[in-house]
């Protein structure tokens, strides 16, 4: 007869063994076929990204070693990983699916793979695209502002813009 502690240890080891066998099984042709049916039924959830339009996702682990991280979902359209919405899925060990599964699945069922990545969100202000250099200009202005605050530290009087000869520049007004 097993003690309570031994029973929990055996149960934990059995769960891990089952999960690692699952990882190997889903990489076989029968396993990939079973996962294809689950993918078609959207059992693993949909991509939370708006521009993917509810694309069905696949489970993926970030590591092949057990107890490293929980399972995530991989979107074939944007090719990114996300936390699953289901708490039940989110509690599974990522090693039970492994890092290989979604990529082998998409290689096997190549008609599900997207040749072109999903469209990228383009920020706009009043309908005009924001040029990347505009952020650099804003950051430079912030740095100037911070630098001018640091110069005035210690009670020193602010330096007026002028010609440098002690006379005030008439254009500064």
């Amino acid at each position: 007869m097993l003690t309570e502690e031994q029973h929990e240890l055996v149960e934990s080891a059995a769960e891990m063994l089952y999960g690692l066998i699952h990882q190997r099984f889903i990489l076989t042709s029968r396993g990939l076929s079973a996962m294809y049916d689950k993918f078609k039924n959207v059992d693993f959830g949909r991509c939370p990204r708006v521009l993917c339009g509810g694309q069905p996702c696949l489970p993926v682990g970030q590591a092949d070693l057990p107890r490293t991280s929980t399972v995530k979902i991989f979107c074939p359209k944007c090719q990114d990983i996300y936390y699953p919405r289901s708490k039940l899925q989110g509690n599974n060990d990522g090693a039970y699916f492994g890092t290989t599964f979604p990529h082998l699945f998409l290689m096997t069922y190549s008609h599900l793979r997207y040749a072109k990545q999903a469209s990228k969100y383009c920020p706009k202000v009043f309908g005009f695209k924001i040029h990347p250099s505009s952020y650099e200009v804003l950051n430079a202005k912030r740095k100037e502002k911070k630098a001018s605050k640091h110069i005035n530290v210690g009670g020193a009087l602010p330096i007026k813009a002028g010609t440098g000869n002690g006379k005030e520049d008439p254009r500064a007004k």
Side-chain angles (χ1 to χ4, degrees), residues 17-58:
L17 179 62
Y18 178 82
L20 295 176
I21 291 171
H22 176 267
Q23 177 193 24
R24 296 293 178 132
F25 171 73
I26 62 174
L27 299 178
T28 65
S29 58
R30 279 184 44 207
L32 287 168
S33 177
M35 295 300 268
Y36 179 79
D37 294 336
K38 289 178 173 281
F39 178 77
K40 283 297 183 190
N41 293 332
V42 194
D43 288 350
F44 306 115
R46 296 183 181 276
C47 182
R49 190 169 177 266
V50 172
L51 295 176
C52 287
Q55 168 67 39
C57 290
L58 294 164

Side-chain angles (χ1 to χ4, degrees), residues 14-168:
E15 181 183 333
M16 185 183 300
L17 179 62
Y18 178 82
L20 295 176
I21 291 171
H22 176 267
Q23 177 193 24
R24 296 293 178 132
F25 171 73
I26 62 174
L27 299 178
T28 65
S29 58
R30 279 184 44 207
L32 287 168
S33 177
M35 295 300 268
Y36 179 79
D37 294 336
K38 289 178 173 281
F39 178 77
K40 283 297 183 190
N41 293 332
V42 194
D43 288 350
F44 306 115
R46 296 183 181 276
C47 182
R49 190 169 177 266
V50 172
L51 295 176
C52 287
Q55 168 67 39
C57 290
L58 294 164
V60 65
Q62 290 181 280
D64 291 320
L65 298 173
R67 297 185 178 128
T68 304
S69 68
T70 57
V71 70
K72 308 296 184 284
I73 57 171
F74 173 80
C75 175
K77 198 169 187 177
C78 65
Q79 297 182 358
D80 208 352
I81 61 173
Y82 301 94
Y83 288 102
R85 288 188 178 163
S86 167
K87 293 287 183 191
L88 183 64
Q89 285 178 343
N91 291 334
N92 288 333
D93 196 323
Y96 298 169
F97 293 94
T99 57
T100 303
F101 168 69
H103 313 294
L104 183 63
F105 181 87
L106 293 171
M107 288 171 70
T108 304
Y109 299 105
S110 58
H111 64 281
L112 299 174
R113 195 168 44 106
Y114 288 87
K116 183 183 168 195
Q117 260 192 329
S119 58
K120 188 176 178 184
Y121 176 73
C122 181
K124 296 178 183 179
V125 174
F126 299 117
F128 296 99
K129 292 180 183 178
I130 300 173
H131 195 273
S133 67
S134 63
Y135 293 112
E136 295 169 11
V137 171
L138 290 173
N139 287 335
K141 285 184 180 181
R142 276 193 206 113
K143 285 181 183 178
E144 280 180 24
K145 204 175 202 180
K146 278 186 179 181
S148 68
K149 284 182 183 178
H150 291 296
I151 290 172
N152 200 9
V153 174
L157 295 173
I159 301 170
K160 285 190 175 182
T163 59
N165 59 6
K167 297 180 183 175
E168 193 174 310

